[in-house]
C-alpha cells in the first residue's frame, strides 16, 4: 500500500493544480457567448489541421505500422479526419444557435417505425454528397418524442450557455486516437463541462501532439491532459472535484470503477452501494453482428461484400469496440458456399499487421482454445471461426475479443423469416448493443418492403449500418455514438449515454447509416434499373483491401483542414485506383 501511495503522491499535486485551473476555466466558459464559442472551434480546427500529419504519423508508428505499410491511412481517417469533421459540424450548430436558429432548421423530420421521430442528418452539406456519395444517415429519437419537443430541446447545454456543468473527468480510450478528443468536445458542448482528460497509456506518445492541437482549449483552462496508469485513474475517479465521469473502455473497467473489485464489489452490489457516487456515462463496446440477408448476388457482389466484412473485423487489427465479430448467414442460401469462399479469400488476403493492443494476443489464444479447428493465418494472429452443427457458439457470441477473430453462425430460412430470426438472434444471444451491420441487395430489400423497416426498428442497437459498417458512423459527427438505451450501473452492457451527436439532439435512441450495396461503376445499375443507391465512389479508402487507401485518406484529411478543391480532385483521381 505504501508503495502505491508513493506512486500516486507525485501526481496528486499536479492533478489538484490542474483541477483548480479547470474550475477557473469552467467559470470562464459560462461567460463566452455561443458566437464566441463557435469562433473558438474555428481556431481549434486550425490547430488540429496544423498537426494532422504528425498526429497520423505518431499514431501509426505507435501501432507498429511502418512507413510503407498499406494500412497507415486508417490513422488519418480515425484521427485528424474524424476530429476535423466533428469540429466543422459542431461549429455549424453553434453558428445556427448564435443566429437565433435551431440546430434542426433545414433538417427533414419524418416518422420511423414504432412511434419514433427520425432526423435526416446526412448529407448535412453539399460536400457530403461527394465525400460520402450514396450514404444517408438518420438519428432516431425515443418513441413518443414530438417534433416540437425535438426542436425545442436541440442544442442541449448551448441553450443555456451561462449554466456551468462543472469539471468532468474523461478517461480516454486507447485504441482510436480521436476518441478522447471527441469525448472532451462533446462534454464541453452538450453539458458546458470542462474536462480533465486522462489518456490511456497506449496514447502517451500522442500527448505532445494533443497539447498543440488542443491549445485553444488548454490555454483558457477548458482542458487539462494527464498521463498515468491504473493508480492515477483510481485517484481521479475518487476525487471529489468532478461533477461527472465519462469512460470509453471495457465493461470490466467500468464495473471496477463503479463497484470496486473482488469481495468489495460483491458486497457493494448486494447493498446497492456504488463505490463511485459521481454520475457516469460510458461507451463500452460489445459483440457486433453482421447480418447477411440472402439474395441473388453477382460474383463481384460476393467479393466486394466479403472484403467489406473483412474490413469490419480487421480494421485497426480488430481493436475496435465496433468491429464486426459474428457473421449471421442463412444455411438455406444457395450462394452460401460461394459467399464463404469469398470471405475466406478476403480475410486471408488482407495485409498482415501486428496484434498491438495490450493483452489482445491473450484473446486470440482464448479463441483458439475454444475453437481449435478454426481457420488461422500463417502467424496464428488472425482467426476465422466457422461454426458447425454441435459447436458451442457461447464464447464467440458473448466474448468481445477485441482482436482479429471473426465468426460465422448459420440460421435457417430465407427472406423475411431469416431476417427476423437473425434480428432476434442478435438481440438475444450476442453481448452488447453498440452496433449492428446489415448487408442486403436492393432487389431483396425491395421484395421485403415494410418488413425490412420493421426488422431494422427491432434491432436493439445504438448504431445500425445498412450496406455500410458502423465504424463509418463514428466518423460522421451528425450521427450519435453509443449503446442502445437501457443500460444501468448494475448491468451496463455497452454503456450509458451517447457522444458525438453534433446537432446536440436530446432523447436520442439510435443512429442508422445507409450505404450503397455496389460501388462505382457497378452502382450505375441503380440509375438504369432504378433499384438501389447510386454512388460515384469506387472501393472506399477505409477498406483494408484498398490499394490507395493511405494516400486517399491523407488527402481527405488535408482537404478537411484546408478546403483545397484542386487537392480534392486529385484525391478522387487516386481513389479510382483503389
Amino acid at each position: 500500500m505504501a508503495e502505491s501511495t508513493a506512486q500516486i503522491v507525485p501526481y496528486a499535486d499536479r492533478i489538484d493544480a490542474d483541477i483548480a485551473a479547470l474550475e477557473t476555466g469552467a467559470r470562464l466558459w459560462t461567460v463566452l457567448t455561443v458566437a464566441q464559442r463557435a469562433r473558438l472551434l474555428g481556431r481549434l480546427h486550425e490547430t488540429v489541421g496544423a498537426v494532422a500529419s504528425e498526429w497520423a504519423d505518431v499514431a501509426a508508428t505507435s501501432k507498429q505500422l511502418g512507413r510503407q505499410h498499406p494500412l497507415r491511412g486508417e490513422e488519418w481517417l480515425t484521427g485528424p479526419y474524424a476530429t476535423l469533421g466533428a469540429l466543422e459540424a459542431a461549429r455549424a450548430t453553434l453558428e445556427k444557435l448564435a443566429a437565433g436558429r435551431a440546430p434542426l432548421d433545414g433538417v427533414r423530420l419524418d416518422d420511423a417505425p414504432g412511434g419514433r421521430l427520425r432526423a435526416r442528418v446526412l448529407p448535412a452539406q453539399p460536400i457530403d454528397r461527394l465525400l460520402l456519395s450514396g450514404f444517408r444517415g438518420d438519428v432516431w429519437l425515443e418513441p413518443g418524442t414530438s417534433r416540437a419537443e425535438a426542436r425545442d430541446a436541440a442544442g442541449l447545454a448551448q441553450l443555456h450557455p451561462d449554466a456551468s456543468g462543472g469539471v468532468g473527468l474523461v478517461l480516454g480510450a486507447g485504441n482510436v486516437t480521436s476518441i478522447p478528443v471527441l469525448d472532451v468536445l462533446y462534454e464541453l458542448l452538450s453539458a458546458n463541462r470542462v474536462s480533465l482528460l486522462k489518456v490511456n497509456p497506449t496514447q502517451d506518445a500522442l500527448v505532445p501532439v494533443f497539447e498543440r492541437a488542443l491549445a485553444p482549449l488548454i490555454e483558457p483552462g477548458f482542458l487539462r491532459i494527464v498521463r498515468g496508469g491504473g493508480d492515477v485513474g483510481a485517484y481521479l475517479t475518487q476525487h471529489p472535484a468532478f461533477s461527472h465521469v465519462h469512460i470509453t473502455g471495457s465493461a470490466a473497467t467500468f464495473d471496477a470503477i463503479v463497484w470496486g473489485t473482488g469481495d468489495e464489489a460483491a458486497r457493494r452490489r448486494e447493498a446497492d452501494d456504488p463505490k463511485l457516487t459521481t454520475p457516469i456515462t460510458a461507451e463500452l463496446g460489445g459483440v457486433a453482428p453482421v447480418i447477411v440477408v440472402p439474395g441473388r448476388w453477382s460474383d463481384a457482389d460476393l467479393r466486394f461484400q466479403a472484403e467489406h466484412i473483412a474490413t469490419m473485423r480487421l480494421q485497426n487489427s480488430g481493436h475496435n469496440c465496433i468491429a464486426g465479430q459474428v457473421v449471421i448467414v442463412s444455411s438455406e442460401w444457395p450462394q452460401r458456399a460461394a459467399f464463404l469462399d469469398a470471405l475466406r479469400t478476403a480475410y486471408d488476403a488482407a495485409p498482415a499487421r501486428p496484434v498491438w493492443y495490450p493483452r489482445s494476443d491473450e484473446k486470440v489464444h482464448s479463441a483458439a482454445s475454444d475453437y481449435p479447428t478454426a481457420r488461422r493465418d500463417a502467424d496464428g494472429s488472425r482467426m476465422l471461426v466457422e461454426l458447425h452443427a454441435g459447436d458451442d457458439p457461447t464464447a464467440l457470441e458473448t466474448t468481445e475479443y477485441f482482436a482479429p477473430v471473426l465468426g460465422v453462425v448459420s440460421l435457417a430460412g430465407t427472406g423475411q423469416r431469416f431476417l427476423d430470426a437473425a434480428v432476434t438472434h442478435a438481440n438475444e444471444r450476442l453481448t452488447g448493443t453498440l452496433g449492428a451491420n446489415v448487408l442486403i441487395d436492393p432487389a431483396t430489400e425491395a421484395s421485403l418492403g415494410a418488413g425490412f423497416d420493421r426488422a431494422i426498428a427491432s434491432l436493439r442497437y445504438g448504431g445500425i449500418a445498412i450496406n455500410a459498417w458502423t465504424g463509418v458512423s463514428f466518423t460522421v459527427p451528425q450521427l450519435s455514438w453509443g449503446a442502445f438505451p437501457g443500460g444501468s450501473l448494475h448491468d451496463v452492457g455497452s454503456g450509458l449515454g451517447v457522444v458525438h451527436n453534433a446537432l446536440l439532439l436530446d432523447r436520442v435512441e439510435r443512429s442508422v447509416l445507409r450505404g450503397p450495396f455496389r460501388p462505382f461503376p457497378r452502382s450505375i445499375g441503380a440509375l438504369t434499373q432504378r433499384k438501389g443507391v447510386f454512388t460515384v465512389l469506387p472501393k472506399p479508402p477505409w477498406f483494408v483491401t484498398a490499394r490507395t487507401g493511405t494516400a486517399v485518406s491523407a488527402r481527405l484529411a488535408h482537404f478537411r483542414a484546408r478546403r483545397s478543391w484542386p487537392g480534392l480532385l486529385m484525391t478522387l483521381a487516386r481513389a479510382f485506383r483503389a
Side-chain angles (χ1 to χ4, degrees):
M1 180 65 70
E3 180 182 355
S4 177
T5 302
Q7 290 172 346
I8 293 173
V9 168
Y11 292 97
D13 289 344
R14 179 193 166 190
I15 288 170
D16 289 344
D18 284 339
I19 291 173
L22 289 167
E23 288 171 340
T24 300
R27 292 190 292 271
L28 175 59
W29 180 255
T30 65
V31 176
L32 296 184
T33 66
V34 174
Q36 289 172 322
R37 295 172 185 185
R39 290 194 290 274
L40 176 65
L41 295 190
R43 175 60 182 150
L44 199 58
H45 188 275
E46 294 174 0
T47 53
V48 170
V51 302
S53 295
E54 185 181 1
W55 181 336
D57 183 63
V58 172
T61 301
S62 70
K63 296 181 181 183
Q64 304 171 38
L65 299 178
R67 290 196 172 276
Q68 302 304 315
H69 198 283
L71 297 180
R72 286 176 69 91
E74 292 177 358
E75 299 311 312
W76 281 97
L77 289 181
T78 60
Y81 177 87
T83 303
L84 291 164
L87 290 168
E88 291 172 10
R91 183 181 183 183
T93 293
L94 295 187
E95 288 175 341
K96 275 188 175 181
L97 289 167
R101 301 168 59 206
L104 282 172
D105 283 357
V107 176
R108 183 161 65 94
L109 299 175
D110 60 17
D111 296 324
R116 296 172 173 89
L117 187 66
R118 174 171 50 196
R120 305 283 196 171
V121 300
L122 182 75
Q125 52 185 329
I127 190 61
D128 292 334
R129 299 182 185 278
L130 181 60
L131 296 182
L132 285 174
S133 174
F135 285 79
R136 306 194 308 273
D138 308 327
V139 177
W140 293 26
L141 304 183
E142 294 174 354
T145 305
S146 70
R147 284 167 169 75
E149 289 170 334
R151 290 186 180 279
D152 289 346
L156 297 178
Q158 299 313 301
L159 299 175
H160 310 284
D162 58 348
S164 175
V167 179
L169 170 64
V170 173
L171 300 173
N175 59 327
V176 174
T177 61
S178 63
I179 289 178
V181 178
L182 299 181
D183 289 349
V184 164
L185 179 64
Y186 192 69
E187 286 284 287
L188 193 60
L189 299 183
S190 68
N192 284 333
R193 190 155 45 231
V194 302
S195 293
L196 181 80
L197 167 63
K198 180 197 170 296
V199 297
N200 187 289
T202 62
Q203 296 196 8
D204 278 353
L206 274 166
V207 169
V209 180
F210 286 161
E211 289 174 339
R212 293 196 301 279
L214 305 178
L217 297 182
I218 294 172
E219 291 165 359
F222 304 148
L223 173 66
R224 287 292 185 271
I225 303 173
V226 299
R227 297 179 174 96
D231 53 350
V232 177
Y235 177 80
L236 291 170
T237 55
Q238 291 299 303
H239 202 291
F242 296 116
S243 62
H244 182 267
V245 176
H246 178 77
I247 177 176
T248 297
S250 69
T253 302
F254 176 92
D255 287 342
I257 291 170
V258 173
W259 301 105
T261 58
D263 293 340
E264 179 194 20
R267 185 173 63 253
R268 286 185 175 277
R269 282 182 178 275
E270 180 67 23
D272 193 18
D273 177 29
K275 180 178 180 180
L276 179 75
T277 58
T278 306
I280 184 170
T281 53
E283 187 271 283
L284 305 174
V287 176
V290 184
I291 298 173
V292 180
V293 184
R296 296 181 61 183
W297 294 11
S298 68
D299 290 344
D301 293 337
L302 292 168
R303 288 192 300 271
F304 180 79
Q305 296 301 345
E307 293 179 22
H308 200 174
I309 295 172
T311 296
M312 296 179 194
R313 180 71 261 181
L314 298 178
Q315 200 270 358
N316 199 25
S317 201
H319 309 317
N320 289 327
C321 55
I322 202 63
Q325 180 164 309
V326 176
V327 181
I328 304 176
V329 65
S330 169
S331 60
E332 300 176 24
W333 186 20
Q335 293 181 285
R336 178 178 181 276
F339 165 75
L340 292 179
D341 281 342
L343 181 59
R344 296 182 199 109
T345 298
Y347 203 66
D348 290 346
R353 63 178 303 165
V355 175
W356 65 270
Y357 200 81
R359 305 190 68 177
S360 287
D361 55 339
E362 297 176 15
K363 293 290 187 73
V364 176
H365 294 321
S366 173
S369 176
D370 289 325
Y371 303 104
T373 62
R375 182 187 184 91
R376 306 187 70 176
D377 66 354
D379 65 5
S381 65
R382 187 182 302 174
M383 294 183 58
L384 180 59
V385 183
E386 298 178 41
L387 296 183
H388 303 288
D391 291 338
D392 184 358
T394 303
L396 182 67
E397 295 180 339
T398 61
T399 305
E400 183 190 4
Y401 285 115
F402 212 68
V405 178
L406 179 68
V408 179
V409 172
S410 298
L411 301 179
T414 57
Q416 192 72 50
R417 184 165 72 95
F418 168 80
L419 178 57
D420 290 343
V423 167
T424 299
H425 191 93
N427 285 341
E428 298 180 359
R429 299 285 296 273
L430 273 56
T431 293
T433 63
L434 183 61
N437 312 276
V438 180
L439 302 179
I440 183 169
D441 66 273
T444 301
E445 182 177 348
S447 71
L448 297 180
F452 180 75
D453 294 331
R454 287 194 299 271
I456 294 301
S458 297
L459 267 172
R460 295 196 298 269
Y461 287 82
I464 298 172
I466 303 167
N467 292 331
W469 173 37
T470 42
V472 179
S473 302
F474 176 87
T475 67
V476 179
Q478 293 82 7
L479 298 178
S480 59
W481 187 253
F484 193 79
S488 67
L489 292 183
H490 283 276
D491 184 12
V492 69
S494 286
L496 306 170
V498 301
V499 291
H500 300 195
N501 180 29
L503 296 181
L504 300 177
L505 304 181
D506 195 17
R507 299 182 63 183
V508 170
E509 182 189 64
R510 72 179 86 187
S511 286
V512 179
L513 178 70
R514 279 180 170 267
F517 181 74
R518 298 182 175 98
F520 186 86
R522 291 190 299 115
S523 63
I524 292 174
L527 298 176
T528 59
Q529 302 170 20
R530 297 189 177 183
K531 289 182 180 178
V533 177
F534 174 72
T535 178
V536 299
L537 297 180
K539 182 183 295 184
W542 57 84
F543 269 40
V544 293
T545 51
R547 289 180 297 178
T548 59
T550 294
V552 171
S553 299
R555 289 174 180 271
L556 287 174
H558 285 307
F559 173 76
R560 280 288 190 201
R562 303 167 187 164
R563 275 293 196 266
S564 168
W565 295 99
L568 180 60
L569 294 177
M570 294 176 61
T571 300
L572 295 176
R574 293 293 295 270
F576 277 91
R577 297 169 54 192

